[in-house]
Amino acid sequence: MISNQILQNTIEGLRAIARVEFCVMDIDGKEVAATAGGVRVSSSEVSEFVRSPADSQEIQGYQYFKIFDEQQLEYVLITAGTGEDVYMVGKMAAFQIQNLLVAYKERFDKDNFIKNLLLDNLLLIDIYSRAKKLHIQTDVNRVVMIIETDNSRDSNVLEVMRTFFGSNNKDFVTAVDENSVIVVKDLAEGDSLMEIEKAAASIEAFLAREGMSGIHIAYGTVVKEIKEVSRSYKEAKMALDVGKIFFDERNIIAYSELGIGRLIYQLPIPLCKMFIKEIFGGRSPDDFDEETLVTINKFFENSLNVSETSRQLFIHRNTLVYRLDKLQKSTGLDLRVFEDAITFRIALMVVKYMNYMESFEY
């Protein structure tokens, strides 16, 4: 349904052009919107006009017009002014508001359809029949993006994003909760992941200019059928969560970039605790001192290259070897051996995942 603010803005704009006063009433005779000049009518007069068969009528110097939504009477528009053009202006205003009702209803219907599509609330046959009715193409490439900011709860990020996409009727911007905004983006044939990354970067820059902070954008894989949009949404949702755990330094993350983090994210916490106990006994990687953790991370960054790691840490090669030997004695894992390095790397990620999940329990 069209908002009262939209109606208010519309009649104020028409008043500025035509110098005619307007008032929009509901069918019960309650004022919905009115211009500053004011139109003084009683609810009984409005009710009498609603019951009459006429679509327009002059009552005590005011022009009355009925506004329908699919043959259902929705509003009564009343105009006041001097001159012969008041009737014509009123007729044009009624026509404008009626068109707004149609446009906003279609937008509402599309938004409702997209929400149910994302949440898997539609049968397959309903997806295609409703898409056809709403003039939404079913066989184009699309990707779902989820946008989250620190401002999501206290500012209208949804409307800001709708402003960003403007009158584009191919991309859909909606929300299924108060924490994030969802964009179902239409892609041209041949668009690569680089194009999606550019679009995400443009959104991030726009939100930053609007004063938003803590921006995180995640997107799923490209789907070719409208029925698969919900899969891209689920992927984007997982990418957003996994990205916060394992890629916290990045503001934009794709589902295809999650790697092993995607698997770890789906492990139950008891199984993770069992794995860590088997690898480290009663210890945890959190117990290592800062020097050891820096050495481990740098060693992984340099693909287990001892010479390059010692150079970047500004230490002698033998010093690095000593640290790795010390780590081997305490954990039983030699990071210079590929299998041990993989085990240790996974263990570090599992601990990070456990710490992240446990932080939500308090």
Side-chain angles (χ1 to χ4, degrees):
M1 177 61 66
I2 190 171
S3 69
N4 292 353
Q5 187 59 51
I6 295 294
L7 289 173
Q8 185 68 41
N9 294 343
T10 300
I11 61 176
E12 284 180 357
L14 290 169
R15 177 184 180 275
I17 297 170
R19 306 297 181 187
V20 171
E21 302 296 339
F22 297 94
C23 179
V24 180
M25 313 280 280
D26 64 19
I27 57 175
D28 294 323
K30 295 179 181 177
E31 184 179 292
V32 174
T35 53
V39 175
R40 302 286 180 265
V41 296
S42 66
S43 58
S44 59
E45 291 171 343
V46 174
S47 298
E48 184 179 340
F49 174 64
V50 167
R51 290 193 298 270
S52 74
D55 288 341
S56 62
Q57 188 176 349
E58 182 180 348
I59 302 175
Q60 295 187 3
Y62 293 135
Q63 296 288 345
Y64 284 64
F65 303 89
K66 290 179 179 177
I67 299 173
F68 296 89
D69 181 11
E70 292 187 353
Q71 300 182 338
Q72 177 74 33
L73 181 60
E74 196 70 34
Y75 296 112
V76 172
L77 174 69
I78 305 166
T79 60
T82 57
E84 299 178 355
D85 294 336
V86 174
Y87 174 81
M88 182 182 69
V89 170
K91 198 74 173 173
M92 292 173 64
F95 179 75
Q96 173 71 10
I97 294 173
Q98 192 155 307
N99 282 343
L100 280 174
L101 287 176
V102 173
Y104 272 80
K105 186 172 183 178
E106 182 173 322
R107 172 175 163 176
F108 174 80
D109 287 345
K110 284 185 176 180
D111 188 64
N112 191 48
F113 170 71
I114 294 297
K115 284 181 181 178
N116 284 303
L117 181 67
L118 292 168
L119 298 174
D120 270 338
N121 290 339
L122 297 171
L123 296 174
L124 186 61
I125 189 170
D126 292 334
I127 291 174
Y128 287 94
S129 62
R130 290 186 63 182
K132 183 178 180 180
K133 183 179 179 181
L134 294 170
H135 309 292
I136 298 173
Q137 287 184 274
T138 59
D139 57 352
V140 298
N141 291 347
R142 292 185 173 94
V143 67
V144 176
M145 306 172 114
I146 299 182
I147 302 151
E148 191 175 276
T149 75
D150 289 342
N151 312 75
S152 296
R153 292 177 179 271
D154 53 19
S155 68
N156 203 345
V157 182
L158 178 61
E159 289 305 318
V160 170
M161 286 309 306
R162 281 177 172 161
T163 301
F164 175 78
F165 283 94
S167 58
N168 183 347
N169 57 5
K170 291 185 177 181
D171 300 326
F172 302 99
V173 183
T174 188
V176 295
D177 57 47
E178 62 180 5
N179 298 320
S180 57
V181 172
I182 303 164
V183 176
V184 181
K185 182 159 183 56
D186 185 287
L187 301 174
E189 194 67 36
D191 275 359
S192 62
L193 289 179
M194 187 177 293
E195 297 300 320
I196 302 173
E197 194 76 15
K198 287 180 181 177
S202 297
I203 292 172
E204 181 189 14
F206 175 77
L207 290 174
R209 289 196 300 271
E210 292 293 318
M212 306 293 174
S213 60
I215 303 165
H216 289 94
I217 302 173
Y219 58 90
T221 55
V222 177
V223 296
K224 299 181 182 297
E225 286 283 340
I226 195 167
K227 64 181 180 181
E228 298 175 329
V229 165
S230 63
R231 173 167 62 81
S232 187
Y233 167 64
K234 291 170 186 172
E235 292 170 348
K237 197 171 181 182
M238 179 180 284
L240 189 68
D241 291 338
V242 176
K244 291 176 183 176
I245 303 172
F246 302 117
F247 304 90
D248 52 339
E249 75 285 355
R250 296 178 57 179
N251 294 334
I252 301 172
I253 187 71
Y255 176 79
S256 59
E257 299 173 322
L258 299 181
I260 197 170
R262 187 172 75 218
L263 299 177
I264 294 173
Y265 179 73
Q266 299 179 75
L267 294 175
I269 295 297
L271 187 61
C272 292
K273 290 181 178 179
M274 187 185 303
F275 173 71
I276 295 301
K277 187 175 181 180
E278 289 174 358
I279 299 300
F280 297 108
R283 299 186 64 189
S284 166
D286 289 342
D287 298 332
F288 296 134
D289 58 70
E290 185 68 23
E291 181 183 79
T292 302
L293 288 173
V294 170
T295 301
I296 292 169
N297 290 326
K298 188 61 69 174
F299 194 52
F300 284 138
E301 284 178 20
N302 289 290
S303 304
L304 314 184
N305 187 309
V306 174
S307 299
E308 184 61 25
T309 302
S310 59
R311 188 186 68 81
Q312 291 189 19
L313 289 174
F314 303 103
I315 60 176
H316 195 277
R317 176 188 174 93
N318 291 343
T319 304
L320 176 59
V321 171
Y322 169 76
R323 291 180 185 178
L324 295 175
D325 287 341
K326 184 180 176 182
L327 184 65
Q328 182 183 3
K329 287 178 183 178
S330 65
T331 65
L333 297 173
D334 186 354
L335 298 193
R336 291 159 292 191
V337 177
F338 181 73
E339 288 187 8
D340 285 359
I342 288 292
T343 301
F344 200 98
R345 179 65 171 166
I346 292 173
L348 288 176
M349 294 179 71
V350 168
V351 169
K352 196 171 186 179
Y353 164 63
M354 289 168 56
N355 291 340
Y356 179 84
M357 296 304 291
E358 287 172 359
S359 68
F360 285 97
E361 296 179 4
Y362 300 100

